[in-house]
Amino acid sequence: MFRKIWDSHVVVPRESGPSLLYIDRNMVHEGSFHAFGEMARRGLAIRSPDQVFGAADHYAPTTGRRKEDAATPEIAGMLDLFDDNMRRGGVRHFGLGHARQGIVHVIGPELGITLPGLTIVCSDSHTSTQGALGALAFGIGQSESLHVLATQTLWQSLPKVMRITVDGALGEGVHAKDIILAIIGKIGAGGATGHAIEYAGSAIRALSIEGRLTICNMSIEAAARSGMIAPDDTVFDYVHGRPFAPAGHQWDEALRQWRALASDDGAPFDAEVHLDAAKLAPMVTWGTSPEDVLPITGAVPDPQAEAGADRRRNMEMALDYMGLAPGQRLDGLPVDRVFIGSCTNGRIEDLRVAARYLDGRKIRVPGIVVPGSTAVKHQAEAAGLDTIFRNAGFEWRDSGCSMCSAMNGDLGAPGERCVSTSNRNFVGRQGPKVRTHLVSPLMAAAAAVNGALVDVRREIGARRVA
């Protein structure tokens, strides 16, 4: 599948070194000011404004929709600059108060901007998310963004392709986030370096679109260039009728092409990885990389048991930052704050799963829920999910990246232990000295109720028996 899309987009092939690719969609956010500024300095015009889509997400305040709600005047200025650049460039964009505003990786699929077989770029590493619909989607830097804006093409080196097959049925309380965390734990944060990943297997095919987006979102945390899943009827049903999706006879032609995208039987792959979904438990990170992950039933590992000196030193530094000791059980570890949101787990299904657990319960630690888009927020409110979150004690916010990137002022306090549905637990990611544990939305909801990490399967079972 990867090679089919790649080959159909090559403009200038090279036997060695990068080839020139045609880019179908270029998504931009507030961080695009570097590229737009350089475009203006050089007197360049955008090659194809209709193929560029902008959204305010990283700096968007979640406590209100006005520029005045921004945490600082500098952040308000970033939002103003973004709107100015979009207007001057003639780019269709969804600013702070727009009904279609949201995180670029959420609104792309949501609006039908993301389609099977397309090449999609954005100056954000988690653009890999959109491969869940069968697109070749990857993050680029600002100089590359400038090249795409000016030419609608991009020089890229052909990566290898890794197939990760996940077969079997997930147990109760185990979700897509647990699959991808288990994959990263198995192959490591550098395990897919130089590769594009194709996900396959019965457990992947059984996932909803939201679950597939979660899987592809975190491909970059294993250093993959992109992650993708062959489009099937689940994708086609999701895409049909979306605002930017083809319609009428164009839909029929698109569907014919999309059905041919999946990798052929017997197609070769440069690397293969297999997982049994039935053996997976809810996963929790204990360190400062997504590869530092264990089942909730596990205990913090001992660096002294590691043979490699570099790995041993990294583990020691991670445990010191996280305030953990070897042998400490993860189940029952007290936490201080919970964040539900991000391009990994801020979609409607994520909110439904968390709300279903929270209905009738109260949380013991502060928590915020930040929908991935304004449309998701409205959809959740129409279903009464906001009432469930508020009654449980959560703050119900407006959409944006919020505590995932923590660029908009949504931060934890130094020393706090934050349970988060986002994608990175790096040092300082959610604020200086904040200790982040990555989990699924269901595990985050359970942690908020208990004031501690818990095995949510036990919680679910207790309620069912009662």
Side-chain angles (χ1 to χ4, degrees), residues 287-303:
T288 55
S289 164
E291 73 175 359
D292 299 334
V293 65
L294 285 169
I296 183 63
T297 51
V300 175
D302 186 350

Side-chain angles (χ1 to χ4, degrees), residues 248-385:
H249 71 279
Q250 291 182 333
W251 171 262
D252 296 333
E253 174 56 23
L255 199 57
R256 185 188 66 77
Q257 295 181 24
W258 296 345
R259 289 192 184 283
L261 282 175
S263 291
D264 300 328
D265 292 341
F269 291 89
D270 299 293
E272 295 265 12
V273 176
H274 296 268
L275 265 80
D276 183 351
K279 294 181 179 179
L280 298 182
M283 304 295 286
V284 182
T285 60
W286 54 265
T288 55
S289 164
E291 73 175 359
D292 299 334
V293 65
L294 285 169
I296 183 63
T297 51
V300 175
D302 186 350
Q304 298 309 311
E306 287 291 324
D310 289 344
R311 176 60 179 158
R312 188 163 58 246
R313 184 164 52 253
N314 288 338
M315 290 176 65
E316 289 169 346
M317 292 171 61
L319 293 185
D320 180 62
Y321 181 84
M322 294 296 290
L324 296 173
Q328 200 167 348
R329 304 294 303 177
L330 293 172
D331 193 355
L333 182 68
V335 302
D336 302 301
R337 183 177 298 275
V338 171
F339 166 63
I340 297 177
S342 82
C343 60
T344 312
N345 284 124
R347 297 179 178 79
I348 188 65
E349 180 181 278
D350 303 316
L351 304 190
R352 284 181 181 137
V353 166
R356 194 177 304 129
Y357 171 88
L358 288 165
D359 195 7
R361 289 177 159 121
K362 297 288 186 184
I363 63 175
R364 295 185 181 181
V365 296
I368 63 172
V369 181
V370 182
S373 73
T374 300
V376 168
K377 181 172 189 280
H378 291 163
Q379 192 176 0
E381 289 172 348
L385 304 188

Side-chain angles (χ1 to χ4, degrees), residues 130-149:
Q130 299 172 68
L133 272 61
L136 172 54
F138 51 91
I140 57 176
Q142 287 301 322
S143 60
E144 292 176 309
S145 181
L146 168 66
H147 193 284
V148 177
L149 287 169

Side-chain angles (χ1 to χ4, degrees), residues 109-123:
E110 189 175 87
L111 296 177
I113 297 169
T114 304
L115 296 171
L118 298 188
T119 51
I120 300 171
V121 298
C122 175
S123 57

Side-chain angles (χ1 to χ4, degrees), residues 59 71 198 217 378:
Y59 291 89
E198 287 193 29
N217 174 273
H378 291 163

Side-chain angles (χ1 to χ4, degrees), residues 123-299:
S123 57
D124 186 296
S125 58
H126 292 101
T127 305
S128 61
T129 308
Q130 299 172 68
L133 272 61
L136 172 54
F138 51 91
I140 57 176
Q142 287 301 322
S143 60
E144 292 176 309
S145 181
L146 168 66
H147 193 284
V148 177
L149 287 169
T151 68
Q152 208 57 41
T153 63
L154 185 64
W155 292 100
Q156 285 287 288
S157 296
L158 179 68
K160 297 178 181 178
V161 184
M162 173 186 289
R163 180 167 63 182
I164 298 180
T165 303
V166 188
D167 281 318
L170 291 171
E172 190 173 28
V174 184
H175 294 271
K177 184 65 162 289
D178 303 304
I179 294 177
I180 189 61
L181 284 173
I183 289 171
I184 298 168
K186 180 182 178 72
I187 69 175
T193 300
H195 290 77
I197 296 176
E198 287 193 29
Y199 296 97
S202 59
I204 299 297
R205 290 194 299 273
L207 292 174
S208 65
I209 293 297
E210 288 83 353
R212 298 180 190 194
L213 290 162
T214 298
I215 296 286
C216 290
N217 174 273
M218 292 192 68
S219 302
I220 190 68
E221 307 308 334
R225 191 73 183 101
S226 61
M228 57 203 314
I229 298 171
D232 56 11
D233 286 340
T234 301
V235 171
F236 307 145
D237 290 344
Y238 176 89
V239 169
H240 190 259
R242 305 240 166 216
F244 293 95
H249 71 279
Q250 291 182 333
W251 171 262
D252 296 333
E253 174 56 23
L255 199 57
R256 185 188 66 77
Q257 295 181 24
W258 296 345
R259 289 192 184 283
L261 282 175
S263 291
D264 300 328
D265 292 341
F269 291 89
D270 299 293
E272 295 265 12
V273 176
H274 296 268
L275 265 80
D276 183 351
K279 294 181 179 179
L280 298 182
M283 304 295 286
V284 182
T285 60
W286 54 265
T288 55
S289 164
E291 73 175 359
D292 299 334
V293 65
L294 285 169
I296 183 63
T297 51

